[in-house]
Amino acid sequence: MSTTIDEMPNTLTRPAAPPSSAIADARNLLRETAAALELDPGIQEILASPERSLTVNFPVVMDDGSIEVFTGYRVQHSGARGPFKGGIRYHPAVSLEETTVLAMLMTWKCAVLDLPFGGAKGGVKCDPRRFSQAELERLTRRYTMAIRPIIGPHRDIPAPDINTNQQVMAWMVDTLSQVDDASAMASVTGKPIALGGSQGRSRATGKGISVVALELLRAHDRDPAQTTVAVQGFGNVGRSAALALFEAGCKVVAISDISTGLYRPEGLDIAAIAEHLDHLPNGLLESYDAPGISRISNEELLEMAVDLLVPAALEGQITGANAHRVRAWAIVEGANGPVTAEADEILDAAGVIVVPDILANAGGVVVSHLEWVQDLQGLFWDEAQVEDRLQERMARAFADVAHRATEQGITLRQAAYRLAVSRVAEAVHWRGCTG
Ligand code: GLU
């Protein structure tokens, strides 16, 4: 059983873009989308703010006997289309603002993929790297109790996000089932298989990224074997994306994490690198070496002349400051919000295709949905069945978004937002708000 913090273990340091610009970007995008859809201003206003934001402060007894008080959040953006859904993040940069933006992104993500969920996000402001396993467990159980009043299988279903993993999800389920004296399997996704988790969940986000990347290549008559790829971030998302693209025959020439970047023009052996990291306690790339590999910085990786660039670390990596130096043919957003609005405009003017996060990295929540369905029905599917469903749903969403983009002469991000916002707005409209 994995006890490492592995949803994204090797995240980068905090990006330059302040969170306040992220919230402004998110609201602007909604405003532009609403204008293009000629949305009722009242419905736009409903969607501009979360339905519920919970801030919790809770104590944790540390191993040395001292007490520390932590602040956590759970923000529920829109429940119009179904129970709220979204991950839990442990990171020093977690804030109410960041959690709010990410909750809104989850609403759009679930809607683009046509999942019967609304959007939420949670997090605890902390540096999990300085905790022992026992401290991490106590923090998780306390946080779970603090947000328990608003979560549940038909209310709000948490999942892993940055620095949380299947072990954290297992503690959450156990805490909920103890206090409610009932099974809480369907209350959390991203669980271990032994605890009602789904086959294929741990690699789902990367698999989904590769599905949309391959669909993009197909739409442009490009051969995967002739396609070069650079992946920023080698945590759960970056690593599974690099591996899936490598297995699909693409040439992954550059990868990076917090410790270093690796570059090999003939392509890196991602399977061998992943295997090497499995035997390391810290899972960092710095100790890996093989003939023909040179070291590069994260900045160099982002500015490489590759076909596909997959930023799969934190938000705000490609900004107004470096967007004009991007030389990739297309960017596939593995992380949530890695390209700022300012960068988006620069990239669009330069003809760089951007597959937006709400489509590209939705593989995780797609398999979370499959996990939730399996838990509710008490009947489980094998890996091939899960992968077929993931492949089918991601490919369909890509086709829907690409079709709209071509038809209306707009970017893939604009098309994805129009699709998502119109679906959520329709649900809000049918519900009405007079009662
Ligand atoms: N944290 C992942 C995301 O941002 C997964 C969320 C989920 O499965 O609910 O999409």
Side-chain angles (χ1 to χ4, degrees):
M1 181 180 66
S2 160
T3 48
T4 53
I5 304 173
D6 63 7
E7 180 71 3
M8 264 191 194
N10 309 325
T11 53
L12 305 172
T13 48
R14 181 106 280 261
S20 52
S21 83
I23 203 157
D25 283 0
R27 292 224 168 100
N28 281 339
L29 210 44
L30 172 61
R31 197 173 312 120
E32 281 166 27
T33 307
L37 294 171
E38 294 178 15
L39 212 64
D40 178 307
I43 291 185
Q44 184 192 328
E45 204 173 327
I46 291 173
L47 297 177
S49 303
E51 285 181 27
R52 188 182 284 121
S53 309
L54 177 66
T55 300
V56 293
N57 298 296
F58 57 93
V60 177
V61 179
M62 308 311 281
D63 288 348
D64 66 1
S66 66
I67 291 173
E68 279 189 41
V69 175
F70 293 90
T71 301
Y73 308 94
R74 184 71 183 170
V75 177
Q76 299 173 332
H77 173 255
S78 169
R81 286 172 47 86
F84 300 98
K85 187 84 193 78
I88 306 273
R89 169 179 296 206
Y90 291 170
H91 196 275
V94 164
S95 67
L96 183 57
E97 272 197 325
E98 182 192 71
T99 313
T100 304
V101 172
L102 294 170
M104 194 193 255
L105 274 185
M106 284 308 301
T107 300
W108 311 142
K109 194 184 293 188
C110 292
V112 174
L113 273 293
D114 210 7
L115 300 172
F117 288 140
K121 202 77 171 192
V124 177
K125 183 176 167 57
C126 65
D127 182 0
R129 259 156 255 282
R130 69 181 182 85
F131 298 152
S132 67
Q133 275 297 101
E135 288 170 336
L136 197 64
E137 177 173 352
R138 288 195 292 273
L139 176 128
T140 299
R141 290 185 184 277
R142 277 282 173 168
Y143 170 68
T144 305
M145 283 305 290
I147 64 166
R148 177 177 155 260
I150 64 166
I151 61 174
H154 299 289
R155 290 177 157 192
D156 182 353
I157 306 130
D161 198 77
I162 292 176
N163 290 333
T164 55
N165 64 358
Q166 56 174 354
Q167 175 63 82
V168 172
M169 298 306 115
W171 289 326
M172 291 189 79
V173 165
D174 184 61
T175 306
L176 293 171
S177 47
Q178 273 183 52
V179 67
D180 293 331
D181 202 12
S183 164
M185 294 298 197
S187 299
V188 178
T189 62
K191 304 182 299 295
I193 306 252
L195 216 57
S198 177
Q199 297 289 343
R201 175 63 182 83
S202 60
R203 289 189 59 188
T205 310
K207 259 252 151 338
I209 289 169
S210 86
V211 172
V212 295
L214 295 174
E215 289 297 312
L216 178 72
L217 295 175
R218 207 159 61 91
H220 289 265
D221 283 327
R222 284 180 169 241
D223 178 4
Q226 303 297 320
T227 300
T228 54
V229 184
V231 180
Q232 183 205 34
F234 212 68
N236 177 280
V237 176
R239 173 183 161 140
S240 58
L243 203 53
L245 288 164
F246 171 77
E247 286 168 357
C250 295
K251 224 194 291 176
V252 182
V253 295
I255 56 174
S256 67
D257 69 7
I258 191 175
S259 70
T260 191
L262 306 180
Y263 172 60
R264 187 168 179 267
E266 304 77 33
L268 295 157
D269 184 344
I270 302 297
I273 296 173
E275 156 111 42
H276 171 84
L277 297 195
D278 279 342
H279 299 291
L280 297 177
N282 67 6
L284 294 176
L285 291 171
E286 62 193 351
S287 69
Y288 187 82
D289 209 2
I293 288 184
S294 48
R295 307 266 148 185
I296 49 163
S297 69
N298 262 299
E299 293 68 39
E300 285 168 327
L301 181 138
L302 294 176
E303 295 165 15
M304 234 157 205
V306 285
D307 298 307
L308 299 178
L309 172 61
V310 183
L314 278 178
E315 53 265 35
Q317 296 298 302
I318 301 168
T319 66
N322 61 358
H324 55 277
R325 291 199 295 273
V326 167
R327 287 183 291 159
W329 168 69
I331 295 177
V332 182
E333 293 188 324
N336 288 318
V339 174
T340 66
E342 201 185 342
D344 230 6
E345 274 182 32
I346 298 169
L347 294 167
D348 188 32
V352 179
I353 298 170
V354 179
V355 186
D357 45 10
I358 58 170
L359 170 62
N361 72 24
V365 73
V366 167
V367 177
S368 273
H369 171 240
L370 297 175
E371 180 175 337
W372 179 73
V373 169
Q374 291 170 86
D375 287 327
L376 289 175
Q377 70 183 9
L379 183 64
F380 289 81
W381 300 316
D382 63 28
E383 190 160 359
Q385 288 170 303
V386 171
E387 282 203 0
D388 282 354
R389 287 180 159 96
L390 169 67
Q391 159 84 36
E392 192 201 321
R393 194 176 282 268
M394 294 294 299
R396 192 183 339 130
F398 179 85
D400 288 349
V401 170
H403 175 74
R404 193 179 268 247
T406 313
E407 201 180 57
Q408 300 183 4
I410 54 178
T411 65
L412 291 173
R413 194 187 309 279
Q414 286 166 331
Y417 267 76
R418 288 186 201 180
L419 184 61
V421 173
S422 61
R423 283 180 176 157
V424 181
E426 192 184 344
V428 171
H429 173 77
W430 277 108
R431 282 173 184 268
C433 53
T434 51

